[in-house]
Amino acid sequence: MSFHQNKYDRQLRLWEAAGQSKIENASCCLLYVNNVGCECLKNLILPGIGKICILDDRLVDKSVDAPNFFLDEEDHNKSKVECLAENLSRLNPDVCIESKKANPLDIISSDIDFFHSFNVVILADMLPKIQLIKLTNYLWNKQIAFLQLRSIGFNGSIRVCLPDCTILQTQNDASLDLRLNMPWAELKEYSKQLFERESKDRHGDIPFVAILVHGCSQLETGNKGNPSSQRKDILRNWIKTQMLYADEENFEEALSNCWRPFQSTNISSALKTIFDDINCQNLNEQSSSFWIIMNAICKFVECYHCIPVSGILPDMKAGSSEFVSLQRVYQQKAKEDALKVKNYVQKNLKLLSRPIDSITDDEIFQFCKNASQARYIKYRKIEEELNSPLLTDLASDNESLVPWYFAFRCFDIYKERYNSSPDASLTSSIHKYEEIACEFMKSLGQSPTQSVCNACREISRSAGAEIHSVSAFIGAIAAQEAIKFLTRQYIPLNNTCLVDAAHARTESFSF
Amino acid sequence: MALSHLRKLLNNPGPFADAYDPEEATKAIQTTKILVVGAGGLGCEILVNLACLGFESIDVVDMDTIDLTNLNRQFLFRKKDVGQPKAQIAAEAIQRRMPNCRVTPIVSKVQDIPMDQLYTYGLVICGLDSVEARRWVNATLVSMVDDDDPQSLKALIDGGCEGFRGQARVILPTITSCYECSLDMLPSKKTYPICTIANKPRLLEHCVEWAYVLQWQAEQGEKDPSSEQIPFNPELPEHMDWLVRTASERAKEFNIPGVITHSSAQGIVKNIIPSVASTNAIIAAACCTEAFKLVTGCNPILDNYMMYTGDQGVYTYSFSLEKQKDCPVCGIEAVLLPVCGNEPLSAVVNRLKEKYRLSNPSLSLTPNSSSTPTRPLYYAAPPSLEASTRSNLSISMRELCQQCRSLTVTDTQLPVSMKVVLRWE
């Protein structure tokens, strides 16, 4: 194995070469240097992200800054971004790390196109509302991922905003669809062959799939019109009569999988969401291959009332040649279905005046194989959330961490208004924070509860200071979300995770 | 000083903390000696967090050396450090950047740390990948607890992770559920039925398993039946080359599609667990936050188990794992017995008899690890064993069991065996 394969071996086992390649071709920009931002970067650099740019105009101030493993005593009074870039670069020579000495507020005001080439932008501090909306709307329109991190004392949050979050490999397959309710001709024929073999000593080698398919074929004519529960019982009895001896494992497997021929192939709600989406229905020049292929699969479903066969077969008690041949039957069917989908894809490409080979056969086969896992996750824009966060009924759940969300919103308002963090050691500060809390809750049509007050009191303990391990926790979660987005594998957070390290708890919300 | 930026936090108790003294809290951070067990994926993260949290006295123990495959997450190590001891390089890396924090490396198994040294730590944080080592640390700390000596109670914070999942827990030995209490939560290792491996492979994994479990031995025997068998070693390139070749031939023979790579084969043989920087960072951070709260008292501590999964969104679940009454480790209170090197075994037997109202106790040395057998000292029954161990009664304790940590005592009066921790005087 190459040096590269060896170094990244443990993570390649999670997202494979395709995922790794996406990470290595990605670039990320961090706004503001603090513990939580640094920790997030560290967890992107170690797995090998392509490029990082760090944006901040401040100098290192060891008397005020939290202890930071990547900024030491020697860096005092020097540029934060330059020192950080140098120290972080030692973590992984594969990563290109740049620094830009500038105030993020200035960049957002007068040079927002600076962000246009990044895949991910991470904000490690708060921005005034106007600038936050301007930045996030820009990123949304450019389809750039945005993450906002907060870390104050024992609390914090991660807010994720991913435009066009389409994922094929969510690694989340509920149950393998073996299509035993609609066996095709080759599958029936193969199953029949296995049963008509003369040698009984290979009886135990027949895979349960063949047992079920053949059983259903045999009982078909007699069963017409019977309700499925009755047919299932009849099948079960038939299987038992076929067993040569008790505990014949492959027949036991057939019995425990007896439900499969009677399970209708429903299209999952996740797939329905994808098919119904306007991106799928109305293809245009900007459509990504995800939507073009999903549109084709949608047409396949309309025609055949099921998704393409995936071709994946789980291991089962069977002889080698029986299993391998059965696998071939499935893979052949998968290929045939994929070719039908390819037809639709090519028609789509023609209509969009795109070259026929702009979507490869391999890509189409991958889609057909993994279609049951696919997800399209719709995020709310930051602007929408700021103006009207989606709040479930608060009063009912005492355990919920929602009060912290309110406390953070008020924290941001406080900072924007007074240019400092709420500080529990100053009574004037406490009063101002409480005032804002009342204002804010009133704007939502509520009054501050005890939980909200407690949250505000807890957050103001540190007067804005970070606890390193809490920042490390939050930064790492954020980095992981960025990686899930970049690799287009696994399922990202939608859209906020609130962290309460005082009680070792987190809770996720879609605000 | 690392803690000065948290002065305000410590001075303002907040709504969730029990009363504590901010001065004492600060002093405790600066003076508490911590043992970090493991300097790998979790260990590196734990060390940095502890140093940045203001802890000034840390020992880190790890017997392993650095491997290339560590570099994607064990960020205190560089390419040039491959082959060096993890504990040593980690300690040096922290020292260089945070000179106020004294980190002492211990390059050995944690089981080799002497009891009196263990006693000096205020807190133990484990970032191990070995169940056996965890059980040892857990059992040792539980056995150390002496109700009359508050210092003998060392909190154990344990973290573990795999892929996008992990857990962190806080164990207060003899008070909360211990590691042994919840052993049944561990997943069992994946095994393949032998008939599938031997005769009816269907998947590439079956072929790999066949090659290194069955065929390696068979071929060795064929080549030279007389000489000693060389065990299969996945670290040797020649062995791995043979494995990939042999397993691939078998796959071809049975028409199993797909390709066996070195990477996939190694994964099966070494039972490799996928690991990424972010999950290690998350779990380690959770452990260190608990350490900070434990030592300062500035917020409640985790009671007592937090699970984390990150493959579908972000999800954590914290709950209180129950202490098992019949736990072999913490189910019975730890018993401390002072012993003098000079005194004969019979004196110890008599003291135990008197103090615990025993009728006729049998004593053996408690093994240090699961691989060491129990050593009998004196067996009261059956008669044949009694006869053979009787002579030990007159031998001095020092001669019989120098350096040993504990005895196992059984007696008709005891429902289960009792572990007695020896305090040598």
Side-chain angles (χ1 to χ4, degrees):
Chain A
M1 291 197 286
S2 68
F3 174 81
H4 176 278
Q5 271 179 308
N6 260 316
K7 175 169 145 182
Y8 294 126
D9 179 81
R10 297 297 187 266
Q11 68 199 42
L12 285 169
R13 289 171 195 277
L14 280 177
W15 51 68
E16 290 167 1
Q20 184 64 28
S21 165
K22 293 200 174 85
I23 293 174
E24 290 175 13
N25 284 312
S27 67
C28 157
C29 182
L30 174 74
L31 279 65
Y32 294 115
V33 172
N34 52 20
N35 265 179
V36 71
C38 291
E39 288 296 312
C40 183
L41 286 188
K42 163 181 136 270
N43 293 310
L44 290 171
I45 292 168
L46 288 171
I49 195 168
K51 181 176 141 191
I52 300 251
C53 180
I54 318 172
L55 187 62
D56 199 331
D57 64 347
R58 295 173 295 176
L59 301 179
V60 177
D61 185 354
K62 275 302 182 181
S63 66
V64 163
D65 296 341
N68 187 331
F69 190 71
F70 303 107
L71 291 171
D72 60 18
E73 298 299 326
E74 287 175 7
D75 300 320
H76 183 67
N77 261 338
K78 296 190 196 154
S79 152
K80 269 190 165 175
V81 292
E82 282 177 356
C83 296
L84 186 62
E86 190 179 319
N87 293 328
L88 283 176
S89 63
R90 295 194 197 110
L91 287 180
N92 190 347
D94 297 343
V95 181
C96 167
I97 306 183
E98 290 174 0
S99 56
K100 188 172 171 76
K101 281 188 285 192
N103 188 331
L105 286 171
D106 295 336
I107 302 289
I108 294 169
S109 302
S110 49
D111 183 21
I112 199 157
D113 277 321
F114 169 78
F115 297 110
H116 86 279
S117 62
F118 295 107
N119 304 101
V120 183
V121 168
I122 302 173
L123 173 65
D125 206 331
M126 55 80 69
L127 282 173
K129 193 171 175 184
I130 295 176
Q131 278 81 1
L132 180 61
I133 291 177
K134 184 178 178 194
L135 172 67
T136 53
N137 282 343
Y138 176 87
L139 297 175
W140 179 273
N141 291 330
K142 296 279 180 194
Q143 305 220 321
I144 298 170
F146 171 73
L147 283 88
Q148 180 170 14
L149 316 181
R150 275 200 194 85
S151 179
I152 309 143
F154 283 100
N155 296 96
S157 64
I158 302 117
R159 187 0 172 143
V160 175
C161 190
L162 309 176
D164 189 40
C165 185
T166 55
I167 313 163
L168 181 61
Q169 279 175 280
T170 55
Q171 320 280 13
N172 176 42
D173 228 343
S175 146
L176 225 38
D177 170 21
L178 298 178
R179 206 55 62 83
L180 297 187
N181 62 324
M182 295 180 0
W184 53 100
E186 289 82 355
L187 181 58
K188 285 192 206 175
E189 182 55 39
Y190 180 67
S191 305
K192 185 171 167 215
Q193 274 175 28
L194 288 182
F195 267 87
E196 285 175 351
R197 281 194 308 202
E198 295 199 5
S199 74
K200 282 301 175 196
D201 56 330
R202 293 179 70 183
H203 196 253
D205 291 345
I206 305 175
F208 82 79
V209 165
I211 297 172
L212 290 174
V213 169
H214 188 64
C216 287
S217 297
Q218 293 289 88
L219 304 169
E220 206 171 332
T221 37
N223 252 337
K224 268 201 168 63
N226 286 339
S228 68
S229 55
Q230 202 174 344
R231 286 186 284 151
K232 206 191 304 185
D233 286 336
I234 293 172
L235 177 62
R236 204 187 295 269
N237 288 331
W238 177 87
I239 294 172
K240 287 182 186 158
T241 63
Q242 296 295 309
M243 287 171 99
L244 280 186
Y245 55 90
D247 306 339
E248 205 174 0
E249 268 185 84
N250 51 336
F251 282 84
E252 288 284 340
E253 279 184 2
L255 283 173
S256 58
N257 281 280
C258 206
W259 52 273
R260 285 189 184 270
F262 307 100
Q263 175 162 75
S264 48
T265 41
N266 289 321
I267 309 300
S268 70
S269 56
L271 268 181
K272 280 208 192 91
T273 306
I274 293 175
F275 292 154
D276 291 342
D277 196 88
I278 195 167
N279 286 300
C280 185
Q281 294 296 319
N282 297 353
L283 296 180
N284 56 53
E285 306 82 58
Q286 273 91 39
S287 293
S288 64
S289 23
F290 180 91
W291 294 112
I292 294 175
I293 302 175
M294 280 301 171
N295 175 289
I297 295 180
C298 180
K299 293 197 171 90
F300 180 99
V301 170
E302 278 164 16
C303 190
Y304 302 100
H305 308 293
C306 57
I307 57 174
V309 163
S310 72
I312 304 170
L313 212 54
D315 193 22
M316 58 191 72
K317 181 78 179 146
S320 307
S321 61
E322 288 83 351
F323 182 78
V324 170
S325 304
L326 183 65
Q327 258 184 334
R328 275 203 211 108
V329 170
Y330 270 81
Q331 278 157 10
Q332 185 56 34
K333 176 71 168 137
K335 196 168 170 193
E336 281 167 21
D337 283 357
L339 283 172
K340 290 180 183 136
V341 171
K342 179 177 168 180
N343 247 327
Y344 291 119
V345 170
Q346 293 193 324
K347 284 198 187 111
N348 286 344
L349 289 172
K350 269 208 192 91
L351 276 170
L352 297 172
S353 309
R354 296 244 211 122
I356 289 291
D357 56 5
S358 56
I359 295 181
T360 62
D361 284 1
D362 197 54
E363 211 179 336
I364 297 171
F365 291 158
Q366 280 299 313
F367 260 81
C368 292
K369 183 170 155 198
N370 293 305
S372 59
Q373 290 181 27
R375 289 273 199 289
Y376 172 47
I377 303 179
K378 287 190 259 207
Y379 285 82
R380 281 190 94 213
K381 289 166 70 172
I382 302 285
E383 182 172 16
E384 287 170 334
E385 178 206 329
L386 288 180
N387 292 333
S388 61
L390 288 177
L391 298 164
T392 49
D393 189 357
L394 306 161
S396 57
D397 189 357
N398 291 329
E399 298 291 308
S400 169
L401 293 185
V402 166
W404 295 100
Y405 174 73
F406 299 132
F408 283 131
R409 290 288 302 266
C410 297
F411 182 95
D412 288 352
I413 295 170
Y414 185 108
K415 248 196 136 167
E416 193 173 341
R417 203 176 283 183
Y418 302 112
N419 206 22
S420 62
S421 302
D423 181 347
S425 64
L426 302 171
T427 7
S428 57
S429 179
I430 300 175
H431 285 153
K432 286 184 211 164
Y433 199 13
E434 280 172 0
E435 211 172 59
I436 291 174
C438 288
E439 260 175 51
F440 181 74
M441 297 303 287
K442 196 169 164 192
S443 74
L444 296 175
Q446 308 182 28
S447 49
T449 59
Q450 185 59 48
S451 315
V452 175
C453 293
N454 283 344
C456 291
R457 279 175 58 205
E458 178 67 29
I459 289 183
S460 49
R461 281 177 77 181
S462 73
E466 291 178 271
I467 298 177
H468 189 274
S469 54
V470 178
S471 292
F473 185 85
I474 295 168
I477 291 178
Q480 180 179 276
E481 290 307 305
I483 287 175
K484 282 194 268 181
F485 168 73
L486 292 172
T487 56
R488 299 289 174 147
Q489 294 181 36
Y490 302 97
I491 300 182
L493 166 71
N494 178 17
N495 53 39
T496 305
C497 176
L498 295 179
V499 174
D500 177 12
H503 302 99
R505 290 186 57 204
T506 71
E507 199 177 337
S508 298
F509 298 90
S510 297
F511 288 128
Chain B
M1 216 182 324
L3 271 177
S4 56
H5 84 293
L6 289 181
R7 204 181 331 113
K8 285 196 171 172
L9 175 91
L10 290 175
N11 283 338
N12 290 304
F16 306 116
D18 290 332
Y20 67 93
D21 181 342
E23 293 294 318
E24 290 295 315
T26 307
K27 214 190 324 165
I29 291 279
Q30 288 162 345
T31 57
T32 302
K33 200 168 157 214
I34 303 193
L35 176 66
V36 175
V37 187
L42 286 169
C44 287
E45 298 278 350
I46 290 170
L47 288 170
V48 170
N49 274 305
L50 291 179
C52 291
L53 284 169
F55 289 97
E56 294 181 5
S57 178
I58 306 172
D59 283 7
V60 55
V61 57
D62 195 318
M63 63 180 181
D64 270 343
T65 53
I66 299 163
D67 181 74
L68 183 45
T69 55
N70 299 151
L71 299 182
N72 78 326
R73 64 205 182 279
Q74 301 177 21
F75 67 100
L76 298 177
F77 312 141
R78 304 280 168 262
K79 188 175 163 192
K80 65 175 172 52
D81 300 321
V82 172
Q84 299 287 331
K86 288 186 179 186
Q88 180 196 320
I89 303 297
E92 284 168 11
I94 303 281
Q95 246 2 145
R96 261 199 308 273
R97 297 206 66 82
M98 327 244 0
N100 276 336
C101 179
R102 199 174 57 253
V103 184
T104 310
I106 305 173
V107 183
S108 80
K109 290 166 73 168
V110 63
Q111 291 92 329
D112 294 338
I113 297 181
M115 285 294 266
D116 50 1
Q117 184 173 338
L118 277 179
Y119 186 79
T120 63
Y121 301 112
L123 174 58
V124 177
I125 309 185
C126 281
L128 287 164
D129 57 5
S130 151
V131 169
E132 185 180 314
R134 273 196 186 92
R135 285 176 77 178
W136 182 90
V137 172
N138 178 71
T140 306
L141 292 180
V142 168
S143 66
M144 228 174 183
V145 175
D146 171 8
D147 286 336
D148 299 328
D149 175 14
Q151 261 200 304
S152 69
L153 175 63
K154 279 85 176 59
L156 168 60
I157 301 177
D158 181 85
C161 64
E162 167 173 348
F164 287 119
R165 297 174 178 222
Q167 72 282 341
R169 60 194 297 187
V170 175
I171 295 171
L172 301 175
T174 72
I175 299 174
T176 64
S177 155
C178 79
Y179 186 74
E180 195 90 357
C181 285
S182 58
L183 269 187
D184 52 11
M185 277 173 73
L186 288 174
S188 43
K189 191 189 165 199
K190 176 160 187 147
T191 52
Y192 302 106
I194 193 69
C195 61
T196 305
I197 303 299
N199 305 318
K200 298 181 188 179
R202 295 176 296 268
L203 306 175
L204 297 175
E205 291 89 310
H206 301 158
C207 302
V208 172
E209 200 73 13
W210 168 85
Y212 89 93
V213 170
L214 295 177
Q215 185 61 4
W216 175 264
Q217 268 186 328
E219 276 189 23
Q220 294 247 307
E222 272 168 24
K223 275 193 212 128
D224 193 349
S226 54
S227 73
E228 212 179 287
Q229 290 254 340
I230 308 169
F232 181 83
N233 183 352
E235 303 304 333
L236 295 177
E238 318 88 77
H239 289 206
M240 280 309 295
D241 284 342
W242 173 90
L243 176 62
V244 173
R245 207 171 47 240
T246 310
S248 300
E249 276 166 15
R250 184 166 177 85
K252 198 165 165 202
E253 188 192 328
F254 285 88
N255 290 313
I256 299 171
V259 177
I260 297 173
T261 59
H262 272 74
S263 169
S264 59
Q266 277 217 334
I268 295 166
V269 177
K270 287 161 71 169
N271 197 27
I272 292 180
I273 296 172
S275 195
V276 288
S278 49
T279 313
N280 279 279
I282 290 164
I283 297 301
C287 290
C288 294
T289 302
E290 293 309 312
F292 185 79
K293 290 189 287 178
L294 232 149
V295 170
T296 58
C298 75
N299 252 334
I301 57 173
L302 168 64
D303 173 24
N304 51 47
Y305 195 105
M306 184 192 86
M307 280 175 33
Y308 157 81
T309 57
D311 39 0
Q312 324 271 323
V314 177
Y315 178 71
T316 65
Y317 179 57
S318 304
F319 62 102
S320 183
L321 207 52
E322 264 188 48
K323 192 169 190 291
Q324 299 296 314
K325 290 201 189 84
D326 56 354
C327 171
V329 166
C330 78
I332 291 194
E333 287 176 349
V335 162
L336 259 182
L337 188 76
V339 280
C340 204
N342 292 333
E343 62 180 331
L345 180 62
S346 55
V348 172
V349 171
N350 285 332
R351 274 216 303 289
L352 282 169
K353 246 162 116 167
E354 236 187 77
K355 186 165 183 189
Y356 300 101
R357 310 246 156 73
L358 306 175
S359 49
N360 209 357
S362 297
L363 277 65
S364 55
L365 283 178
T366 323
N368 287 346
S369 74
S370 54
S371 49
T372 327
T374 326
R375 257 182 50 211
L377 290 174
Y378 173 68
Y379 278 177
S384 52
L385 273 178
E386 200 280 332
S388 62
T389 54
R390 199 183 302 151
S391 53
N392 285 342
L393 287 172
S394 48
I395 303 180
S396 76
M397 286 301 285
R398 184 183 294 117
E399 236 182 284
L400 262 182
C401 49
Q402 187 178 38
Q403 288 296 310
C404 87
R405 288 152 213 204
S406 65
L407 305 178
T408 303
V409 180
T410 52
D411 186 84
T412 48
Q413 301 296 320
L414 295 171
V416 286
S417 65
M418 175 173 68
K419 189 139 143 228
V420 174
V421 177
L422 300 177
R423 193 198 272 143
W424 291 90
E425 294 179 340

